[in-house]
DNA sequence: TTGAAAGCGCTAACAG
DNA sequence: CTGTTAGCGCTTTCAA
């Protein structure tokens, strides 16, 4: 751009003061209709666009909303890889944010300190925090005046922030009950990480509850952890199951990605699904209905989760004293071809 | 935050002027070591963090880099859905950008006008434009002084911007030649969109070239277009192929997602792959190796594409007069189990 | 080597 | 209703 047009240029062009231009642009009803016209014309003619950086500084509000991803290793790719989950979520978030005139700034949190720094230095109006929430950030974050929405975080702190989640426990319950109803007793639970992933912990609780209700004693030997939700990890676990755990006849995996990897391993070794093994996933990613056999799973509407989360921050930003939101979205059992009666 | 600490607080605390603090913080070597120490101590003690909005305004540089996604409909979800492609890319981009101390602002381009506006009003230092580049933006964008990197755009304008792509034409050629070498002659090409997707056009050229080299006359009846790269669209096309095009024995699809959808449809109707149909995809998404049968495909390193693109903008931002970059990354044929000799 | 002062572009009391 | 003015927090001449 050769020369940026400032509010003063507009003012001059319209023969008024910068203040009046500002009033008109901000919809502050202080200006006569006549001069308002003149100003709007000048804005058009000069093709003026306000400098948002200056606006931010002046208003102490950036109109930017940050999304912080949990960084496992150094890049986001481990998170996105094999995983429609965060992509879907960010779609929902971006959609709402743009509609409301905000911009979306994303960052992988390298360290809790960096994270905090980021919010403050960038003047982010609000923050969406996805996944596990580092304990040590808790106190410091609370000191910030900007609203923070935690998504999928179950911590003792959860009550102090806005919080969006899915009914993970019920999902685990649904999945397991489905298997139980099919006559299964030897049901493995495959988690991403039982301690680090609060979501998986909830699903596990549902799993346990379903077993107990059915009179089955949950056994630690039926619970497995992989490190990341990926096909590869599922695949490797599938092989491990075949070697070390011949008693298992059904698997409830904490993500479809994992479930599909497990399925692949079992099939490669000549096992039939659902005849030999019943498998249930979680999420209902698109591919689940395209796999052979198609995957029985717990569906959650991730796009909507993003929408709800983003809507929450924006509400919190705009009516500062709204009460804390705690939304738990529902899940649904989708029965497909990867589960069948125990034989 | 209760009270933000400003540069003046630090100055007072250290018994110097704000200017000196600024010098030290910006590494401008004008200050005696002694006062420098004092200032740094004060910074530590007060836990001072500069306000980046103010810095941006003052320096006329935001340290933010924008990524603009092509919006087909109104939300990003059509783009991310079923599509690891953009997720991978953004992972690569985010990685580089964060390492260099920039922030990543993302947006779906609602309209060319909005897009332009966005760059100017937000004081974005540089822009990554993914996918098709709206013609009418051309002139206006060129007027911007900020560097713009186009990814996957083949337009007549491409030469005026930095440009990162993959050797799509060679990819198309490799895939088709592979099928030809297996004895296939009736090879369909399934594109996302031949006109709107410049990438697909290139792949088509490679396809055509390979056919010609093999003495096969390309026929328009073997070329198909779907609207979006999705499993569903592939699936529907697969069914169409079965109904209307019984002569076809091999398919080269412009994305793995499409290829897997097609495969599913064919399999459902009792067709064997690769015995009855040979199928080649493009991208090498993770799931391709987990499908049954595993998918032969053209691999491109999308994460790296993001890395290269981001590196380019940053270079361009930091050494303003660097020459335009035009990078074409390589592709690779990955032979798996979805292709076999024609019988 | 240091600091005063004038911006960066916009907003918001406050006066008129 | 309109304009003057003093910031927002930081940078950067320019003079001391």
């Amino acid at each position: 751009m050769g020369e940026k047009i400032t509010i003063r240029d507009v003012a001059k062009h319209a023969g008024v003061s910068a203040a009046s231009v500002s009033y008109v642009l901000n919809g502050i009803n202080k200006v006569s209709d006549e001069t308002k016209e003149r100003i709007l014309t000048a804005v058009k003619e000069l093709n003026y666009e306000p400098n948002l950086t200056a606006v931010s500084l002046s208003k102490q509000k950036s109109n930017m909303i940050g999304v912080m991803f949990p960084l496992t290793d150094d890049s986001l790719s481990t998170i996105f890889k094999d995983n429609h989950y965060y992509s879907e979520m960010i779609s929902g978030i971006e959609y709402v944010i743009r509609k409301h005139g905000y911009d979306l700034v994303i960052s992988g949190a390298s360290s809790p300190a960096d994270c905090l720094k980021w919010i403050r230095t960038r003047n982010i109006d609000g923050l969406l925090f996805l996944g596990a929430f580092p304990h040590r950030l808790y106190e410091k974050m609370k000191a910030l005046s900007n609203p923070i929405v935690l998504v999928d975080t179950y911590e003792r702190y959860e009550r102090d922030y806005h919080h969006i989640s899915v009914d993970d426990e019920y999902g685990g319950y649904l999945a397991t009950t489905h298997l139980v109803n099919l006559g299964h007793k030897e049901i493995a639970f495959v988690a991403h990480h039982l301690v680090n992933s609060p979501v998986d912990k909830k699903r596990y609780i549902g799993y346990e509850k379903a077993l107990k209700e059915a009179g089955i004693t949950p056994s630690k030997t039926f619970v497995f952890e992989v490190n990341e939700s990926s096909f590869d990890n599922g695949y490797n676990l599938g092989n491990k199951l075949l070697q070390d755990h011949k008693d298992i006849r059904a698997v409830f995996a904490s993500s479809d990605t994992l479930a599909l990897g497990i399925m692949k391993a079992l099939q490669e070794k000549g096992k039939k699904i659902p005849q030999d093994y019943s498998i249930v996933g979680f999420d209902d990613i698109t591919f689940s209905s395209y796999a052979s056999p198609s995957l029985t799973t717990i569906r959650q509407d991730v796009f909507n989760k993003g929408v709800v989360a983003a809507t929450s921050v924006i509400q919190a930003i705009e009516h500062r004293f709204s009460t804390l939101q705690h939304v738990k979205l529902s899940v649904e059992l989708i029965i497909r071809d990867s589960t069948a009666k125990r034989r």
Side-chain angles (χ1 to χ4, degrees), chain A:
Chain A
M1 290 305 309
E3 335 64 35
K4 299 251 181 190
I5 300 134
T6 76
I7 199 169
R8 266 184 273 270
D9 297 328
V10 178
K12 204 171 296 170
H13 194 85
V16 297
S17 76
S20 298
V21 179
S22 176
Y23 293 142
V24 172
L25 261 33
N26 289 289
I28 296 169
N29 215 7
K30 275 183 146 195
V31 183
S32 72
D33 286 356
E34 188 211 355
T35 48
K36 189 169 174 177
E37 275 320 312
R38 273 223 311 292
I39 290 170
L40 290 175
T41 313
V43 167
K44 283 262 160 54
E45 284 179 8
L46 298 180
N47 195 17
Y48 167 72
E49 303 282 6
N51 177 330
L52 292 187
T53 307
V55 175
S56 299
L57 182 60
S58 185
K59 284 197 180 161
Q60 302 287 56
K61 176 170 188 297
S62 64
N63 264 268
M64 297 196 299
I65 289 172
V67 174
M68 180 124 303
F69 288 87
L71 265 203
T72 339
D73 69 5
D74 204 24
S75 105
L76 291 181
S77 73
T78 23
I79 282 171
F80 279 136
K81 186 114 182 128
D82 304 353
N83 212 329
H84 88 138
Y85 184 84
Y86 287 102
S87 313
E88 281 270 302
M89 177 109 75
I90 213 168
S91 304
I93 292 170
E94 197 274 344
Y95 179 77
V96 172
I97 281 182
R98 181 157 38 88
K99 285 277 176 257
H100 286 260
Y102 287 81
D103 276 324
L104 219 202
V105 190
I106 76 174
S107 178
S110 358
S111 72
D114 282 6
C115 169
L116 197 63
K117 182 175 163 182
W118 185 60
I119 304 167
R120 299 197 339 204
T121 57
R122 264 298 175 217
N123 290 128
I124 297 290
D125 291 339
L127 183 71
L128 294 167
F129 207 102
L130 310 188
F133 187 54
H135 284 235
R136 19 180 192 148
L137 274 184
Y138 170 64
E139 285 302 343
K140 294 188 165 183
M141 296 280 259
K142 250 190 88 175
L144 295 173
S145 56
N146 320 59
I148 294 177
V149 176
L150 307 180
V151 182
D152 292 334
T153 314
Y154 297 95
E155 300 280 347
R156 52 195 153 124
Y157 310 135
E158 144 203 341
R159 313 217 64 248
D160 295 318
Y161 298 93
H162 301 273
H163 183 225
I164 316 296
S165 65
V166 119
D167 200 339
D168 289 296
E169 181 177 329
Y170 185 60
Y173 177 82
L174 273 181
T176 313
T177 301
H178 170 61
L179 291 170
V180 165
N181 288 343
L182 289 170
H184 290 283
K185 296 187 196 316
E186 309 84 354
I187 304 171
F189 175 60
V190 181
H192 160 199
H193 200 297
L194 233 37
V195 176
N196 287 348
S197 166
V199 158
D200 281 6
K201 211 185 304 177
K202 288 283 176 186
R203 292 177 191 171
Y204 176 74
I205 292 170
Y207 158 85
E208 209 173 34
K209 188 174 161 210
L211 291 185
K212 282 180 182 160
E213 273 188 23
I216 303 170
T217 314
S219 157
K220 285 290 173 202
T221 56
F222 283 4
V223 178
F224 303 88
E225 290 178 84
V226 297
N227 234 332
E228 292 285 335
S229 176
S230 71
F231 286 114
D232 282 353
N233 286 343
Y235 182 82
N236 294 334
L237 191 92
N239 283 324
K240 190 173 152 195
L241 249 41
L242 281 171
Q243 284 198 320
D244 309 345
H245 299 274
K246 300 197 196 304
D247 44 345
I248 286 168
R249 303 294 306 279
V251 178
F252 165 39
S254 192
S255 74
D256 284 359
T257 307
L258 240 32
L260 292 167
I262 293 169
M263 199 157 87
K264 175 78 174 181
L266 299 179
Q267 286 174 324
E268 266 188 17
K269 293 292 186 303
K271 301 299 180 188
K272 294 286 174 214
I273 296 173
Q275 294 83 347
D276 301 330
Y277 286 87
S278 279
I279 300 187
V280 184
F282 204 112
D283 287 343
D284 195 23
I285 65 178
T286 321
F287 195 80
S288 298
S289 43
Y290 282 93
S292 334
S294 59
L295 187 70
T296 295
T297 189
I298 303 296
R299 173 184 296 165
Q300 63 167 320
D301 186 343
V302 183
F303 182 86
N304 184 48
K305 209 175 187 176
V307 166
V308 171
T311 306
S312 294
V313 231
I314 291 177
Q315 268 177 12
I317 290 169
E318 297 186 350
H319 331 296
R320 279 225 102 84
F321 302 109
S322 68
T323 52
L324 249 32
Q325 295 224 28
H326 294 271
V327 182
K328 190 178 279 182
L329 300 166
S330 64
V331 295
E332 187 187 358
L333 172 67
I334 307 292
I335 300 176
R336 297 211 184 88
D337 305 327
S338 66
T339 47
K341 277 217 152 45
R342 184 179 195 283
R343 304 189 305 176

